[in-house]
Amino acid sequence: MNIIKLVILSLCISIGYYALSIVAIGQSAAGNLLWRLNSSEYPLLSHLAQNFIGIGLASLIPAFLVKSYEAARQWIAITIVILGAMLLHGNIHYMPWDPMGIVRFVNNTLFYGDIGAKVLFFYILLLPVLWLLLLKRMARI
């Protein structure tokens, strides 16, 4: 029963992470996140920095929730959260829980995407893990 609770909690958190990351990507695309620092000389670098800050802030909430509510199995929970968010990102134009969403997300971002999409893949994958490591380190201090 505890495994079922873990999966359900992780999937609920992944829906929130998906929604927050979509908002962060939209704000970055609109140029509203770092609008004072928008550079006409390096638009790609500015866009990547905006995505880093937006998705970094969006990934703090799932990492904090996983650390708070599933401290014993936090790595399993954060893996389910990340995979669930990738599943939903890959299913933007499809049924929400289609299992091929992860494959579509990896193909569209990592294999067939431009440099911005590839970096976005690693932001979505690694930033919650980095936040979880940071929160774990702060708990030891």
Side-chain angles (χ1 to χ4, degrees):
M1 191 65 176
N2 287 334
I3 299 296
I4 294 171
K5 288 181 195 177
L6 170 77
V7 170
I8 291 173
L9 175 69
S10 299
L11 288 176
C12 290
I13 294 172
S14 71
I15 292 169
Y17 179 44
Y18 163 73
L20 290 171
S21 63
I22 286 291
V23 169
I25 293 167
Q27 288 294 320
S28 172
N32 292 336
L33 195 57
L34 298 174
W35 58 271
R36 290 188 186 251
L37 302 175
N38 278 345
S39 172
S40 60
E41 297 174 12
Y42 305 106
L44 179 64
L45 187 61
S46 173
H47 186 68
L48 293 177
Q50 290 179 19
N51 273 336
F52 180 76
I53 291 172
I55 294 175
L57 290 174
S59 63
L60 173 63
I61 295 170
F64 180 75
L65 290 174
V66 165
K67 179 72 176 153
S68 298
Y69 293 108
E70 283 294 336
R73 294 175 298 217
Q74 61 190 358
W75 296 110
I76 296 170
I78 202 71
T79 302
I80 295 171
V81 168
I82 292 169
L83 288 176
M86 285 182 174
L87 177 79
L88 291 171
H89 275 288
N91 287 331
I92 287 182
H93 300 293
Y94 297 92
M95 294 294 289
W97 296 108
D98 183 14
M100 286 299 292
I102 294 175
V103 174
R104 277 192 288 273
F105 179 73
V106 171
N107 282 338
N108 292 339
T109 56
L110 193 59
F111 296 133
Y112 302 120
D114 60 349
I115 188 68
K118 290 177 183 180
V119 171
L120 189 69
F121 172 82
F122 289 108
Y123 285 168
I124 290 173
L125 177 68
L126 296 177
L127 286 176
V129 174
L130 292 176
W131 275 117
L132 194 59
L133 286 170
L134 184 67
L135 290 170
K136 187 176 179 181
R137 181 119 169 124
M138 287 174 45
R140 277 193 264 153
I141 295 176

